[in-house]
Amino acid sequence: MSQLRLLPSRLGVQAVRLLSARGIPGPGLRNWSSGPPATFPGGRGGGDSSYVEEMYFAWLENPRSVHQAWDSFFRQASKEASARPAHQQLLTVVPESRSAASSRTKTSKLVEDHLAVQSLIRAYQIRGHHVAQLDPLGILDADLDSFVPSDLITTIDKLAFYDLQEADLDKEFQLPTTTFIGGSENTLSLREIIRRLESTYCQHIGLEFMFINDVEQCQWIRQKFETPGVMQFSSEEKRTLLARLVRSMRFEDFLARKWSSEKRFGLEGCEVMIPALKTIIDKSSEMGIENVILGMPHRGRLNVLANVIRKDLEQIFCQFDPKLEAADEVMSILVHGDAAFAGQGVVYETFHLSDLPSYTTNGTVHVVVNNQIGFTTDPRMARSSPYPTDVARVVNAPIFHVNADDPEAVIYVCSVAAEWRNTFNKDVVVDLVCYRRRGHNEMDEPMFTQPLMYKQIHKQVPVLKKYADKLIAEGTVTLQEFEEEIAKYDRICEEAYGRSKDKKILHIKHWLDSPWPGFFNVDGEPKSMTCPATGIPEDMLTHIGNVASSVPLEDFKIHTGLSRILRGRADMTKKRTVDWALAEYMAFGSLLKEGIHVRLSGQDVERGTFSHRHHVLHDQEVDRRTCVPMNHLWPDQAPYTVCNSSLSEYGVLGFELGYAMASPNALVLWEAQFGDFHNTAQCIIDQFISTGQAKWVRHNGIVLLLPHGMEGMGPEHSSARPERFLQMSNDDSDAYPVFTKDFEVSQLYDCNWIVVNCSTPASYFHVLRRQILLPFRKPLIVFTPKSLLRHPEAKSSFDQMVSGTSFLRVIPEDGAAAQAPGQVRRLIFCTGKVYYDLVKERSSQGLEGQVAITRLEQISPFPFDLIKQEAERYPDAELVWCQEEHKNMGYYDYISPRFMTILGQARPIWYVGREPAAAPATGNKNTHLVSLRKFLDTAFNLHAFEGKTF
């Protein structure tokens, strides 16, 4: 009571009177420095009188500190109190009477009812999608929890949840600013509020967006869907939609007639996807988008080619050869299956790339073709989440579920999705809830496993007929016009089918290689088959070395340990030598001068996993202040991008593959933290990199840097699995080649990728530059070293990198053995790091004149011509292949038959290395050294193979 007596001096007499007039007691004051919450509490607790007090006292001090609905409420109450006679106002200061208590009860009920309505609106916004009519089949909500939220007013008897009564349905309620259902009206009856909420959130569109933590974005979505009459289409728009549905459905019908026994993975049951994709593209085009890249799964790909990309029908019919494929993941519009969206980890991985520096695509529109089944697996057996799209919530991407049998709802949702992407540059998901009319493919029998679902599907009226009947009924089109539209498209298909029979040559280059101007002649072949020398002038090497050993920014404090590294670079530059890191610096820097953009990404590539690269310097005193000296080499150079990536090989490598595909004049490199980290990106390697040209008719110059080497550190992080890449190389081990003048370049053009294991920094320098100077693009796999990064012998002279020098596919022996080849008793072939172990052992045994060592820098395509020269150079020598990897791994299974071919089966190539094993390397350091010692002894035991046959 002592605090209550302070009210007149603090708030004024009128405030106290108003409190009493409204039946609100006046307890102690609160501290309002931060103001009350801006949003209403949910459920029934909103009517607590202490909460009303808090709202009221806050409003008295600052009307803007409370929600707009409270402000309106208290203003109205203030007017009512001021209008009363003075003697009634004075009654409020005496002890509470029965009438005052009654007034307080009414006021409390009024406030509770308003808060209940706020909670009800919010409940629809958050959970309305759970009761939306999304399933076109209407038999079950296979995607949803069986639980239906009890706080949604789907029947009048649930009003009691909010302490509301049927009598309240016709009462007017103030609408909060967090809804747009009122349009231009600020108040609506409860009955109308519920009707509009049901119409917005519980019909054929289900919205998930209230988890987004940005108020502006939530408001944007609410306005797009809640505003009355927002989903209106003109007659012309409806006719266009109908025409697109005709094309979508009749295309599938045509294929079914002509290729009834083929697996087509048709679109039947989700024909609306064609107008959906076209709407996204049209809307994006209106907003300034000039190029759209589309990623497709297997289902509906032919229809999309025909009716979205508009590839010539005769080309499609001529090439008809259905296959099931995965889909590349770096696109602007991505189409997914529901089972794949929930089950494939790369979806989650690429979502997490969506807003990372150097990876963002400024938003992707994800379209999920939700068949409500994956092959034969029910969703309840395939995922633990209610929806297949729940993974999108991790990046605050709105999710729009829509019944695919309501074309207008689909088109509106797709239009909003495109607008969202172009407004906020963020991902958005459109979940097309549909069905598969014919099962997983046209030869499949879905009744085996989903009998109830397919009984309903067999009775299902196609969406085209439903929509056509609707438009005919409302007078938008006539039956004759509809039938003419069908006949017109059927005629187009038949004429194209006829022309396809006359096709003698498949003309595919003209549209597949269009992003690569200047690379090919009219026949799709390279304009030349030569590669210029890859060396550069010495003054350029010196300049790059000097910048690489400096800090171009003023007042930039680097770590003392890094200072020693930079001094080491400067010292090497003065001595005209390079180590691995400096050779890479010079390769990149020289390309930047030539206008070639260089992009290097991967886990920890900025510093380098082995702390050797240091392409990004960090100020030791200013947080997040960095310097990239590579971007300070030349005044008008191309940009250099180096970026540490997400810990996702699958997603990141997929992104870089797409980047390289779209940028043929850029050097794009992905480095694995360790070589075997490519294991989790194997799908990208198998499906797209290895087979890119043969299967997808796409050139790609991506470079994979895979640290590799047996260092005694255990089975993990030792091997980059070279045997996998070599097994997928397409050069023929049994075909004796014809050695033409352009054999080296022709080999590179014919291969599916290039595999190298460089033993010198100069080789690495040249192979990177050759990658861009070639007149075509091939993926390049580089097994990079670990211990060689700092090996004192693994350095190169400027003389091996200056103008006129080139990449050496094979580095022959140049020591004592080469001076007297007739005296050589053994010729050892090897690749990579083991060369240095062999040279050291040869020296310790004094066998320099009797054992020659030749290095293969390029393993695939196999250098038949140079291997033949080396073997003929030492006619009396035993030929040995030595590797540090186990016999069933590494290179031996690849090189052995190719040696036999080039030697005409006349001389054996003996194996020296570790014995076959299950693991790539031992986990015991001593065992590692023992096995190393064993195979080195065998390599230089000149009697090891006496008496053996091959």
Side-chain angles (χ1 to χ4, degrees):
M1 292 301 295
S2 61
Q3 291 176 319
L4 184 58
R5 296 190 190 100
L6 295 175
L7 286 176
S9 62
R10 182 169 175 86
L11 304 174
V13 176
Q14 179 61 31
V16 179
R17 290 174 178 167
L18 180 58
L19 275 174
S20 300
R22 302 303 294 173
I24 301 175
L29 292 173
R30 309 274 180 113
N31 179 4
W32 301 103
S33 59
S34 60
T39 58
F40 289 89
R44 307 176 186 182
D48 185 84
S49 61
S50 64
Y51 179 71
V52 178
E53 294 169 35
E54 293 175 356
M55 293 293 102
Y56 181 70
F57 282 110
W59 177 77
L60 285 173
E61 289 199 358
N62 180 9
R64 293 185 179 180
S65 68
V66 300
H67 196 278
Q68 184 176 343
W70 277 116
D71 180 34
S72 176
F73 172 73
F74 287 130
R75 288 182 189 277
Q76 183 63 30
S78 177
K79 289 179 183 178
E80 293 177 13
S82 301
R84 289 176 182 166
H87 71 277
Q88 289 186 12
Q89 295 181 17
L90 290 173
L91 286 175
T92 61
V93 298
V94 300
E96 187 173 69
S97 66
R98 184 176 298 173
S99 63
S102 175
S103 176
R104 182 181 65 183
T105 302
K106 291 179 180 178
T107 302
S108 179
K109 177 69 167 77
L110 181 60
V111 171
E112 284 182 349
D113 289 351
H114 270 83
L115 292 175
V117 171
Q118 312 300 333
S119 298
L120 185 151
I121 293 172
R122 186 172 177 83
Y124 274 96
Q125 292 170 340
I126 295 174
R127 293 180 290 281
H129 57 87
H130 281 290
V131 291
Q133 301 166 31
L134 299 177
D135 183 9
L137 304 177
I139 53 174
L140 77 165
D141 292 326
D143 290 22
L144 306 179
D145 290 335
S146 58
F147 169 74
V148 174
S150 59
D151 53 345
L152 294 179
I153 308 298
T154 55
T155 55
I156 296 302
D157 61 342
K158 291 186 179 179
L159 286 169
F161 182 89
Y162 294 94
D163 286 338
L164 293 168
Q165 301 170 3
E166 193 167 351
D168 295 321
L169 286 172
D170 294 316
K171 289 182 181 178
E172 293 282 320
F173 288 90
Q174 182 78 28
L175 296 173
T177 56
T178 52
T179 187
F180 293 86
I181 59 173
S184 60
E185 302 173 87
N186 294 323
T187 62
L188 289 174
S189 69
L190 177 57
R191 189 185 305 276
E192 184 62 15
I193 288 172
I194 293 173
R195 188 192 70 79
R196 296 190 185 189
L197 290 171
E198 296 263 344
S199 176
T200 299
Y201 291 105
C202 302
Q203 299 304 308
H204 289 161
I205 297 173
L207 304 175
E208 285 190 273
F209 67 97
M210 290 291 282
F211 54 82
I212 297 175
N213 52 26
D214 186 298
V215 174
E216 178 193 355
Q217 293 174 7
C218 286
Q219 286 289 80
W220 189 92
I221 293 172
R222 282 191 279 252
Q223 185 172 20
K224 291 293 179 184
F225 288 96
E226 291 184 349
T227 303
V230 74
M231 201 169 75
Q232 298 292 332
F233 294 90
S234 68
S235 294
E236 188 58 35
E237 289 170 330
K238 292 179 180 179
R239 292 168 69 92
T240 298
L241 172 52
L242 181 66
R244 288 174 172 178
L245 276 176
V246 166
R247 285 176 169 262
S248 178
M249 179 164 278
R250 298 304 291 179
F251 180 83
E252 297 295 347
D253 291 347
F254 184 82
L255 294 186
R257 292 197 306 272
K258 298 299 184 183
W259 292 276
S260 59
S261 61
E262 293 282 1
K263 295 179 182 179
R264 304 180 302 278
F265 296 99
L267 205 52
E268 294 100 323
C270 193
E271 293 90 349
V272 77
M273 188 179 82
I274 298 304
L277 292 177
K278 290 181 76 68
T279 296
I280 294 171
I281 294 169
D282 290 347
K283 188 67 175 180
S284 299
S285 178
E286 289 174 12
M287 302 183 75
I289 298 297
E290 296 182 358
N291 297 287
V292 174
I293 301 176
L294 180 64
M296 279 294 299
H298 57 283
R299 187 172 185 210
R301 67 201 185 284
L302 295 175
N303 207 323
V304 170
L305 281 172
N307 291 313
V308 177
I309 298 177
R310 305 301 293 271
K311 185 181 181 184
D312 292 343
L313 292 180
E314 56 263 40
Q315 285 289 318
I316 296 175
F317 300 154
C318 188
Q319 300 170 47
F320 191 83
D321 183 19
K323 297 182 183 72
L324 170 62
E325 308 294 359
D328 200 347
E329 290 296 328
V330 190
M331 305 290 177
S332 297
I333 300 176
L334 287 180
V335 184
H336 312 257
D338 53 320
F341 200 82
Q344 296 296 318
V346 73
V347 176
Y348 175 84
E349 292 180 34
T350 50
F351 265 120
H352 271 292
L353 295 179
S354 63
D355 204 29
L356 295 182
S358 302
Y359 289 96
T360 181
T361 57
N362 292 316
T364 296
V365 179
H366 300 267
V367 178
V368 178
V369 179
N370 188 346
N371 302 313
Q372 306 185 76
I373 191 172
F375 195 7
T376 68
T377 304
D378 188 292
R380 289 166 292 196
M381 309 298 174
R383 63 174 185 268
S384 298
S385 63
Y387 293 104
T389 53
D390 286 335
V391 66
R393 296 167 69 106
V394 299
V395 292
N396 281 326
I399 303 164
F400 304 148
H401 308 280
V402 60
N403 187 318
D405 265 16
D406 185 341
E408 292 183 5
V410 170
I411 296 312
Y412 184 75
V413 160
C414 289
S415 178
V416 173
E419 196 173 346
W420 164 275
R421 185 265 175 202
N422 288 291
T423 300
F424 297 106
N425 293 322
K426 289 184 61 177
D427 284 23
V428 57
V429 177
V430 176
D431 179 21
L432 293 177
V433 185
C434 58
Y435 58 91
R436 296 181 323 209
R437 185 171 292 277
R438 298 178 183 270
H440 182 65
N441 62 61
E442 288 72 19
M443 302 296 102
D444 189 40
E445 177 46 81
M447 291 287 286
F448 289 156
T449 51
Q450 274 74 36
L452 296 180
M453 173 183 274
Y454 274 86
K455 283 179 183 177
Q456 178 60 38
I457 289 174
H458 293 157
K459 295 185 290 185
Q460 193 77 1
V461 177
V463 64
L464 176 60
K465 183 174 184 344
K466 285 183 182 179
Y467 193 57
D469 289 347
K470 175 179 179 290
L471 296 193
I472 292 170
E474 68 183 34
T476 303
V477 297
T478 66
L479 178 60
Q480 180 181 350
E481 289 172 329
F482 173 56
E483 292 174 343
E484 287 174 353
E485 188 69 33
I486 290 177
K488 173 184 173 184
Y489 189 68
D490 286 352
R491 188 166 55 253
I492 291 172
C493 290
E494 287 291 351
E495 290 172 356
Y497 180 73
R499 289 194 299 272
S500 72
K501 297 299 182 182
D502 298 329
K503 291 285 180 181
K504 301 293 189 263
I505 301 173
L506 299 182
H507 301 292
I508 54 179
K509 294 283 194 302
H510 71 282
W511 66 281
L512 278 176
D513 290 320
S514 57
W516 292 49
F519 268 82
F520 307 106
N521 60 27
V522 292
D523 296 323
E525 300 297 327
K527 292 187 174 180
S528 74
M529 288 298 286
T530 60
C531 180
T534 48
I536 61 175
E538 183 164 339
D539 60 346
M540 189 184 298
L541 293 170
T542 303
H543 172 73
I544 297 172
N546 289 335
V547 174
S549 55
S550 68
V551 183
L553 299 183
E554 295 183 2
D555 302 322
F556 193 99
K557 184 173 178 58
I558 61 174
H559 191 276
T560 53
L562 188 52
S563 298
R564 289 193 298 272
I565 292 173
L566 297 187
R567 286 196 298 271
R569 288 179 182 172
D571 186 56
M572 280 191 291
T573 302
K574 290 178 183 177
K575 295 178 179 177
R576 302 180 68 253
T577 61
V578 295
D579 62 4
W580 194 271
L582 190 53
E584 180 183 73
Y585 216 110
M586 290 178 171
F588 289 177
S590 61
L591 292 174
L592 295 174
K593 180 175 176 57
E594 296 167 25
I596 302 299
H597 169 50
V598 178
R599 175 184 169 89
L600 171 64
S601 80
Q603 294 141 13
D604 310 291
V605 296
E606 295 179 5
R607 190 203 75 173
T609 299
F610 309 100
S611 197
H612 68 289
R613 183 172 285 127
H614 297 288
H615 284 185
V616 178
L617 312 181
H618 293 260
D619 195 307
Q620 298 296 296
E621 296 180 350
V622 181
D623 184 36
R624 297 170 70 179
R625 186 186 183 210
T626 60
C627 173
V628 181
M630 192 86 74
N631 280 321
H632 296 266
L633 285 167
W634 323 99
D636 55 351
Q637 68 173 69
Y640 174 53
T641 301
V642 56
C643 46
N644 289 343
S645 75
S646 157
L647 193 67
S648 158
E649 291 81 21
Y650 190 175
V652 171
L653 183 54
F655 186 99
E656 302 305 336
L657 178 68
Y659 196 103
M661 190 173 294
S663 311
N665 292 310
L667 180 65
V668 180
L669 310 96
W670 174 73
E671 182 174 78
Q673 195 172 74
F674 288 91
D676 56 356
F677 279 31
H678 83 259
N679 284 344
T680 56
Q682 197 69 46
C683 179
I684 295 293
I685 293 168
D686 292 353
Q687 299 294 327
F688 302 108
I689 300 180
S690 169
T691 60
Q693 187 171 348
K695 189 167 71 172
W696 303 103
V697 200
R698 285 294 193 183
H699 293 257
N700 199 297
I702 192 168
V703 180
L704 273 60
L705 305 179
L706 307 176
H708 170 80
M710 310 297 113
E711 316 280 3
M713 298 299 177
E716 314 307 327
H717 311 342
S718 290
S719 176
R721 298 288 193 176
E723 63 277 2
R724 293 182 185 172
F725 295 93
L726 295 173
Q727 184 186 39
M728 289 188 283
S729 295
N730 68 350
D731 60 332
D732 190 344
S733 61
D734 301 322
Y736 194 96
V738 177
F739 300 124
T740 59
K741 184 176 66 172
D742 59 358
F743 175 73
E744 178 181 352
V745 177
S746 296
Q747 252 199 325
L748 295 175
Y749 179 68
D750 292 336
C751 74
N752 61 318
W753 57 17
I754 305 164
V755 181
V756 302
N757 188 355
C758 301
S759 63
T760 72
S763 281
Y764 182 49
F765 165 86
H766 284 297
V767 82
L768 291 179
R769 286 185 49 79
R770 185 185 74 171
Q771 186 69 359
I772 284 294
L773 295 178
L774 282 171
F776 45 80
R777 294 289 176 263
K778 297 286 176 172
L780 172 64
I781 315 300
V782 185
F783 299 117
T784 58
K786 293 177 285 185
S787 61
L788 291 192
L789 296 174
R790 294 178 176 83
H791 196 292
E793 301 300 319
K795 291 187 177 177
S796 297
S797 165
F798 277 15
D799 293 336
Q800 297 167 304
M801 302 163 66
V802 294
S803 299
T805 58
S806 296
F807 175 70
L808 301 178
R809 292 173 291 149
V810 170
I811 301 180
E813 171 67 54
D814 61 355
Q819 308 307 315
Q823 305 299 315
V824 173
R825 298 179 59 188
R826 178 168 291 175
L827 170 59
I828 299 177
F829 292 93
C830 66
T831 186
K833 176 177 74 73
V834 74
Y835 167 77
Y836 294 93
D837 295 322
L838 291 170
V839 168
K840 182 180 178 181
E841 183 64 22
R842 182 177 66 174
S843 176
S844 69
Q845 295 195 27
L847 295 174
E848 288 92 338
Q850 299 180 64
V851 178
I853 304 175
T854 295
R855 287 169 274 175
L856 274 70
E857 301 292 284
Q858 177 177 298
I859 308 159
S860 179
F862 191 71
F864 286 101
D865 51 338
L866 301 181
I867 294 299
K868 185 173 187 292
Q869 290 177 17
E870 285 297 290
E872 290 175 348
R873 188 179 181 189
Y874 304 94
D876 300 322
E878 279 184 322
L879 304 183
V880 167
W881 174 262
C882 182
Q883 65 181 39
E884 60 179 354
E885 297 82 4
H886 292 285
K887 187 176 184 181
N888 58 324
M889 303 175 197
Y891 322 92
Y892 180 66
D893 285 342
Y894 175 84
I895 67 97
S896 178
R898 288 163 176 79
F899 264 93
M900 290 295 96
T901 294
I902 205 67
L903 297 172
Q905 310 292 327
R907 299 167 68 183
I909 176 80
W910 300 108
Y911 171 79
V912 171
R914 291 184 167 91
E915 297 298 319
T922 177
N924 183 285
K925 182 74 171 181
N926 185 61
T927 303
H928 166 79
L929 294 174
V930 168
S931 61
L932 174 63
R933 177 75 267 153
K934 181 179 178 182
F935 82 70
L936 287 177
D937 287 344
T938 303
F940 293 99
N941 177 0
L942 301 183
H943 304 286
F945 304 106
E946 287 182 358
K948 293 187 177 182
T949 59
F950 75 98

